[in-house]
Amino acid sequence: MPGAHRAAGLHRPRPSSPEEPPALEDQDLLLAAAYVSDAQYNRNVPFETSPQAVRLYHFYNHWTMRAATYFFIWVDLALALFEEPALFPLPFLATSIAEVLCLTAFFGRLVHFAKVTPQMVFWKDTKNICIMVTIVLTLIDLITYGSLEAVNIHGVRWSRALRPVFLINFPESRQIRRAFRSIRNTLPDILYVFLLFIFSVLIFSLMALKLFGDRGLKTVQGSPYFTNILDIAFELYVLVTTANSPDVMMPAYEFNWWYSLYFITYIIINTYIFMSVFLAVVYNNYRKHLKNEIRTLAYLKRHKMIEAFNILKVKVGTEFVVKEAQWRQLAKVVEPDISSSHLELLLRISDEGQKGYVDKTNFLRLADLLNIQVVTINIKRHPLEAWMPRVYQSSPSLLVQKMVRHRIFVWVYDVIILINAIFIALDEKNPLISYAEWLFLSLYIIEILLKLYTYEPRAYFGRKQFWNWFDTLIIIAALVATVANTTIQSARKYNSQQILDIVLILRILRLLRVIVSIQRFRVIVTTLINIGPTMLTFGGLVLVVYYVFAIIGMEVFHGKVHFFDPGSTSPDALVCGNPALKDSAFARGRYCRNNFNDLPASLILLTELTVVNQWHILADGFALVTHQAAKLYFIGFHVVVVILIVNIFIAFILEAFFVAYSLEKSEVETAIEKKIQELGVGVQEEEVQDGKLIDNVDAKDSGFSGDDGDNKRKALKGLYFRIASKKYKTVDALLQQMFESEIAPEDEGPSLEEILNFSPSDVHPKNPSFENSA
């Protein structure tokens, strides 16, 4: 993209005197901070480098602006709840005003983006064109629909299906866009497999027509069996999902058991072979295109950090460096909330020899350093030790503390949890079970009290001590619910089934404490939690697809099926309010609530279709109340969501889990931990898990004021550091870490134009092992 970056040669020459660093101008500092921030968050937004444009760009990336954008996006999507067919009906004027406000906000955000981006780049960017076209089309649809409503003519709000365009195309949603690119890039390879799959289904359909069409067979409903080629193709397509197995085979199987071989062969070829090939093709192509994305991100990140370095560099001796004062200023602009002690720690890592400046190699790591979460902790004495030192340090007290810290204490409560599980499965009306419940609650409360006696309370309930909070809240909630349940029973007015349900659920949730005790369980759960944000990427992708199909379904099928209360005596209740469903499997299955009469109902129905069980009955039902062509809607949803997106989602989760589960600490994390230990202000992760330390306390914020180790310790009296648990926002960040390790520090990489034009088949010659590493 021409004009997307500021060339190093455009910067003013810097004085070479090493004694006094030149005064750093605000615009240069802001420009360098913009590059570092882009590298930190993997943004690829080309922006103008004039002082006004840089300030506007910083404001554009401020969290309040991003939050406002997402607020209006979600308001725009939520309008479907209030528009006909609506869950909460509002007048058209109210929803149209709200939508116009959202469109105004989107247009303002787009204008803001145009102010910071080179014009040639802005008008060549497909995202911007999509947003502008969607705004215009939405306004045309609003005016047309409003005009028709004014003369009592029913119209169709077709532009509502375009609303997810805003969610996809704003720069903030680059992760969702990346997922769509993966789908787009994978489609050509999938298309050939899909066409071969359809060909196979059609071949088997013709075989079925010739084998069974003239034998006079009947289905269970009494209709002709396999006499229409289109019905046969649909039934065999459904059989691939196994939703109608073995029902579809039974008429032929009852006639002659040899015919079962036809269906077995079909299932082996199309369900097991072709569906597996789909997953293999999707996974292989997803990995290939993801690696290309990661390679591009890695070089763009390096490119932006070099730009920032070129802005701030001064010459010391024979090399260019960045002075400490300027490095501090830059870090504070990029991370305004960073503490001075944390900043000094990072500076000690970057300025390895304490020379007063940061060389290029260490400067390029700044974005990664700022991304690593360093937790500041403070050693605290137990309050009882301060209030009653003799009692707390007495032999019986120390014995209790030793017992609580011992592994046997954990094992004992593991056994108690398992025994509790057995009692939960028994009859709760038995008085013995009721008394046992109080015993278990008492034991759990004693456990918490003993831990609070042994460990410093604020450490035990620190912000990072998730499992301690979970354990305690579950016990307290179970105690409150059990007391409430007992009180109601003793008052002889026991009529609250909801309270009883809450008690039962909380009793069962207590069994999750086993996860805390068994290390392998905790590792797996922690890994799943760490890749949780990566799942949100495809959560957004699924939301977009669901929303579009829901809007289309509401426009086509709303009002065709109605739900009646279970106690209704209306004859229409038996046919879901539509005579076309008489004697249908849809009506017999009581599927009346599965309709498109509002947005929540539509989303629930689409979820049922994703599970695929009985989806053909739902398709048949809506085909009966409209037209047989309606089955194409359900087939299209199955192809897009189940065959394509679900397979990509599986590939995505597999890649994320394998990497997150096995990846060791990065070079940057190792450097931070090494420096923490050198300074004598480090603690081990297991010490924090034991509850001896408190996370992120409000302590005196002081830096490393002295030059020797003793002075550093005094300056940080009570303050210690550790690397937080490894958490990555995306699987891209995990893989990018692997690729960046192969880029030599002196390697500036290809030009910006070459980076942006990388193709999946390109492998940079300096990185021959990337194919294996990713």
Side-chain angles (χ1 to χ4, degrees):
M1 295 183 183
H5 67 290
R6 179 175 179 175
L10 297 179
H11 302 313
R12 291 184 296 278
R14 301 292 183 185
S16 59
S17 174
E19 287 80 11
E20 291 293 332
L24 188 62
E25 298 183 14
D26 288 343
Q27 56 264 32
D28 285 343
L29 180 63
L30 287 175
L31 179 57
Y35 283 129
V36 174
S37 181
D38 280 0
Q40 182 183 3
Y41 295 104
N42 287 320
R43 286 193 292 260
N44 180 26
V45 179
F47 58 91
E48 294 280 5
T49 56
S50 65
Q52 181 183 6
V54 172
R55 287 186 173 85
L56 282 173
Y57 185 61
H58 276 279
F59 184 56
Y60 181 88
N61 290 320
H62 197 271
W63 71 268
T64 55
M65 296 298 293
R66 296 199 305 270
T69 302
Y70 277 117
F71 171 77
F72 284 108
I73 287 174
W74 290 114
V75 168
D76 192 42
L77 294 174
L79 287 176
L81 294 169
F82 309 98
E83 299 166 329
E84 292 297 333
L87 181 64
F88 310 106
L90 286 178
F92 171 73
L93 181 62
T95 57
S96 60
I97 290 175
E99 186 158 19
V100 170
L101 288 175
C102 292
L103 295 178
T104 304
F106 299 149
F107 183 73
R109 185 68 167 165
L110 197 64
V111 171
H112 191 169
F113 187 68
K115 291 290 185 181
V116 302
T117 309
Q119 287 190 5
M120 291 296 294
V121 175
F122 179 84
W123 290 109
K124 288 182 179 180
D125 195 333
T126 310
K127 300 190 298 295
N128 304 326
I129 304 301
C130 287
I131 292 173
M132 286 187 288
V133 170
T134 304
I135 291 174
V136 172
L137 291 177
T138 303
L139 289 173
I140 293 174
D141 184 36
L142 274 174
I143 295 171
T144 305
Y145 184 84
S147 302
L148 293 176
E149 286 290 313
V151 294
N152 296 321
I153 299 176
H154 177 70
V156 176
R157 283 298 317 277
W158 48 267
S159 69
R160 296 193 300 171
L162 301 177
R163 287 172 181 168
V165 168
F166 301 117
L167 177 61
I168 297 171
N169 286 286
F170 275 112
E172 292 79 5
S173 302
R174 56 187 176 275
Q175 298 296 339
I176 297 179
R177 253 191 333 275
R178 193 167 297 152
F180 270 104
R181 279 201 301 271
S182 296
I183 292 177
R184 183 189 65 198
N185 293 330
T186 307
L187 277 178
D189 298 286
I190 291 180
L191 182 61
Y192 291 107
V193 181
F194 185 74
L195 290 176
L196 189 58
F197 163 72
I198 293 298
F199 179 75
S200 172
V201 172
L202 292 176
I203 290 295
F204 274 93
S205 299
L206 288 173
M207 292 170 59
L209 181 65
K210 299 303 180 183
L211 283 173
F212 312 120
D214 296 331
R215 300 188 182 276
L217 301 179
K218 300 288 185 181
T219 63
V220 176
Q221 292 80 19
S223 56
Y225 179 72
F226 278 15
T227 57
N228 183 288
I229 187 66
L230 294 179
D231 289 338
I232 295 172
F234 178 73
E235 291 293 338
L236 291 181
Y237 184 86
V238 173
L239 182 56
V240 172
T241 68
T242 72
N244 61 351
S245 177
D247 297 350
V248 69
M249 181 182 72
M250 293 312 296
Y253 185 37
E254 291 173 350
F255 182 76
N256 191 324
W257 74 270
W258 279 100
Y259 288 138
S260 64
L261 298 177
Y262 164 86
F263 292 95
I264 293 172
T265 304
Y266 176 84
I267 291 173
I268 291 174
I269 293 176
N270 292 282
T271 300
Y272 293 109
I273 295 179
F274 269 109
M275 292 299 108
S276 299
V277 169
F278 269 122
L279 177 58
V281 171
V282 168
Y283 185 55
N284 181 64
N285 284 277
Y286 169 76
R287 282 173 57 90
K288 180 175 68 175
H289 293 290
L290 176 62
K291 286 187 292 185
N292 184 64
E293 293 269 3
I294 299 310
R295 191 157 51 92
T296 302
L297 283 177
Y299 274 118
L300 280 172
K301 184 176 181 178
R302 173 65 61 89
H303 180 83
K304 287 182 179 292
M305 290 305 299
I306 290 173
E307 287 292 320
F309 179 81
N310 289 335
I311 294 172
L312 305 179
K313 67 183 180 182
V314 294
K315 194 167 187 179
V316 175
T318 59
E319 65 175 335
F320 286 98
V321 298
V322 174
K323 286 293 187 177
E324 275 193 4
Q326 298 178 351
W327 188 95
R328 291 172 189 267
Q329 288 179 283
L330 177 66
K332 288 293 288 184
V333 173
V334 177
E335 290 287 345
D337 298 327
I338 191 172
S339 66
S340 60
S341 56
H342 185 184
L343 182 63
E344 291 296 331
L345 174 66
L346 299 185
L347 181 57
R348 288 291 181 260
I349 297 167
S350 299
D351 184 7
E352 294 176 339
Q354 312 302 301
K355 301 174 183 177
Y357 56 80
V358 178
D359 60 24
K360 183 176 182 179
T361 300
N362 284 299
F363 182 88
L364 296 183
R365 298 196 304 180
L366 176 58
D368 291 323
L369 284 172
L370 294 174
N371 270 335
I372 302 299
Q373 185 181 5
V374 177
V375 178
T376 304
I377 55 184
N378 197 337
I379 301 295
K380 290 288 185 179
R381 296 172 62 191
H382 198 290
L384 293 178
E385 187 178 1
W387 300 338
M388 301 179 297
R390 290 186 178 181
V391 175
Y392 193 75
Q393 294 295 337
S394 65
S395 297
S397 175
L398 293 176
L399 179 61
V400 170
Q401 295 174 44
K402 185 177 181 181
M403 289 172 53
V404 173
R405 288 192 175 99
H406 202 280
R407 183 64 185 170
I408 294 179
F409 183 82
V410 178
W411 292 343
V412 168
Y413 269 90
D414 287 346
V415 174
I416 291 174
I417 292 172
L418 294 177
I419 296 174
N420 191 188
I422 296 172
F423 274 78
I424 288 175
L426 299 177
D427 184 7
E428 64 181 31
K429 295 180 181 179
N430 189 316
L432 177 63
I433 305 301
S434 180
Y435 293 137
E437 177 60 24
W438 282 106
L439 173 63
F440 286 118
L441 270 176
S442 302
L443 290 173
Y444 293 140
I445 293 171
I446 290 172
E447 178 196 18
I448 292 174
L449 293 176
L450 286 174
K451 286 183 176 180
L452 290 176
Y453 180 82
T454 303
Y455 303 124
E456 203 279 324
R458 286 174 296 179
Y460 188 78
F461 291 117
R463 290 201 306 175
K464 303 295 181 181
Q465 303 297 335
F466 168 78
W467 292 112
N468 292 344
W469 279 102
F470 173 81
D471 196 16
T472 304
L473 291 175
I474 286 293
I475 298 304
I476 293 175
L479 177 62
V480 172
T482 304
V483 170
N485 185 40
T486 305
T487 304
I488 294 173
Q489 284 182 320
S490 62
R492 299 183 182 276
K493 295 180 180 179
Y494 185 73
N495 56 4
S496 180
Q497 182 63 35
Q498 290 182 344
I499 292 181
L500 179 59
D501 293 341
I502 293 173
V503 173
L504 293 174
I505 291 172
L506 291 174
R507 286 168 62 189
I508 295 170
L509 285 178
R510 288 209 308 263
L511 303 180
L512 295 179
R513 299 175 72 248
V514 175
I515 296 174
V516 186
S517 303
I518 301 177
Q519 179 64 23
R520 299 306 297 176
F521 284 179
R522 187 160 56 185
V523 168
I524 294 173
V525 172
T526 302
T527 303
L528 291 175
I529 292 173
N530 288 346
I531 68 172
T534 71
M535 298 183 191
L536 294 180
T537 298
F538 274 86
L541 173 63
V542 170
L543 172 66
V544 168
V545 176
Y546 268 44
Y547 192 90
V548 171
F549 273 93
I551 293 297
I552 296 173
M554 289 162 63
E555 293 291 351
V556 176
F557 302 116
H558 77 88
K560 303 296 184 182
V561 174
H562 295 278
F563 172 72
F564 293 81
D565 291 331
S568 175
T569 57
S570 171
D572 290 338
L574 299 176
V575 292
C576 303
N578 197 316
L581 294 173
K582 185 178 180 181
D583 297 328
S584 66
F586 187 97
R588 288 197 305 271
R590 298 177 181 267
Y591 290 167
C592 305
R593 196 152 200 165
N594 295 319
N595 54 58
F596 288 94
N597 294 343
D598 55 63
L599 183 62
S602 303
L603 295 176
I604 292 172
L605 194 152
L606 293 177
T607 303
E608 294 173 347
L609 293 176
T610 304
V611 179
V612 305
N613 190 39
Q614 302 290 70
W615 74 275
H616 61 295
I617 293 179
L618 297 172
D620 283 332
F622 284 98
L624 288 173
V625 298
T626 52
H627 188 274
Q628 289 299 310
K631 291 179 180 178
L632 295 176
Y633 169 89
F634 295 90
I635 294 175
F637 179 83
H638 181 268
V639 171
V640 172
V641 174
V642 179
I643 292 182
L644 186 59
I645 293 181
V646 169
N647 279 329
I648 287 184
F649 179 73
I650 292 172
F652 186 85
I653 296 303
L654 286 174
E655 198 74 10
F657 185 84
F658 290 153
V659 175
Y661 191 71
S662 61
L663 193 63
E664 298 296 330
K665 282 185 170 63
S666 68
E667 181 184 349
V668 176
E669 288 176 297
T670 304
I672 294 178
E673 287 191 335
K674 182 180 179 182
K675 182 58 65 174
I676 287 174
Q677 299 304 325
E678 285 178 0
L679 295 170
V681 291
V683 294
Q684 298 300 320
E685 180 74 18
E686 56 268 18
E687 291 178 317
V688 179
Q689 291 175 353
D690 286 341
K692 298 177 183 177
L693 305 171
I694 180 169
D695 294 348
N696 296 328
V697 297
D698 293 328
K700 183 179 179 181
D701 188 14
S702 58
F704 297 93
S705 58
D707 293 330
D708 56 68
D710 292 337
N711 288 337
K712 292 166 187 171
R713 282 175 173 270
K714 291 177 181 178
L716 284 169
K717 183 179 180 180
L719 287 182
Y720 289 81
F721 301 95
R722 69 174 174 86
I723 300 291
S725 299
K726 298 192 293 292
K727 290 185 179 180
Y728 300 87
K729 293 181 179 179
T730 63
V731 68
D732 303 352
L734 293 172
L735 297 178
Q736 185 176 338
Q737 173 182 317
M738 300 173 66
F739 179 62
E740 283 182 317
S741 63
E742 298 187 7
I743 304 178
E746 66 278 2
D747 179 17
E748 298 195 5
S751 67
L752 183 63
E753 288 74 20
E754 291 174 324
I755 295 171
L756 297 176
N757 289 317
F758 275 151
S759 68
S761 58
D762 291 334
V763 178
H764 198 261
K766 294 183 181 181
N767 302 285
S769 60
F770 173 71
E771 189 72 21
N772 298 325
S773 67

